[in-house]
Amino acid sequence: MCAIRLDRSNIAGLVKNFEDRYPNAPELQMVKFALASRLFDREDYAAALAIYDSIKKPFLYAEEQIEYDFKSAYCYIREGNTDVAAERLTLSSRVITVLSLCPVNIIWVMCVIWKRILLLPAAFP
């Protein structure tokens, strides 16, 4: 976790090493989530999505599950898969709660995208 937060150059190798040594550790999901979030912050959505899809969501804390839903949906939108993104983005209180965790510019973008998914489904080919 420290290497991820310090943005070390060999993060992927360290995570892979941890996964190989401790494949059943519940902490592995949190480590993968931290790596995916780092990639998301770097706007490497394809790589982040690959890791998000490998995470076992029930092993994350509740706050992380909310952030997982939001960020993975955003990655799906960026990759052009709006059907899966729409499934992840619901009008539940979980989506509203996660908005408080995000910078204002991401909130604005997600609101515009969400409005298009709900009101103008034909806008996405």
Side-chain angles (χ1 to χ4, degrees):
M1 294 294 283
C2 292
I4 294 169
R5 297 206 191 267
L6 293 172
D7 206 21
R8 301 289 173 142
S9 61
N10 60 343
I11 296 171
L14 292 172
V15 171
K16 178 69 174 143
N17 185 30
F18 183 81
E19 185 173 15
D20 291 343
R21 293 176 88 188
Y22 310 103
N24 297 318
E27 295 84 5
L28 175 61
Q29 306 311 311
M30 290 183 271
V31 170
K32 288 170 132 183
F33 178 74
L35 177 57
S37 294
R38 175 62 66 188
L39 293 168
F40 180 91
D41 292 341
R42 289 184 185 163
E43 298 181 3
D44 188 352
Y45 301 114
L49 184 57
I51 295 171
Y52 282 132
D53 284 344
S54 73
I55 293 172
K56 297 175 184 167
K57 186 177 160 185
F59 288 98
L60 299 176
Y61 291 115
E63 305 85 39
E64 291 173 334
Q65 289 182 18
I66 295 168
E67 188 176 348
Y68 166 88
D69 287 338
F70 180 81
K71 288 184 174 181
S72 63
Y74 187 81
C75 289
Y76 275 113
I77 290 169
R78 295 294 295 208
E79 293 299 306
N81 193 341
T82 56
D83 293 336
V84 177
E87 290 173 17
R88 299 235 175 144
L89 291 174
T90 63
L91 289 176
S92 69
S93 60
R94 292 175 55 153
V95 172
I96 294 168
T97 303
V98 77
L99 294 178
S100 66
L101 304 174
C102 298
V104 173
N105 59 342
I106 291 178
I107 294 171
W108 183 83
V109 168
M110 290 306 297
C111 288
V112 169
I113 292 169
W114 180 245
K115 182 178 177 183
R116 287 184 181 172
I117 289 172
L118 285 178
L119 301 176
L120 302 171
F124 294 102

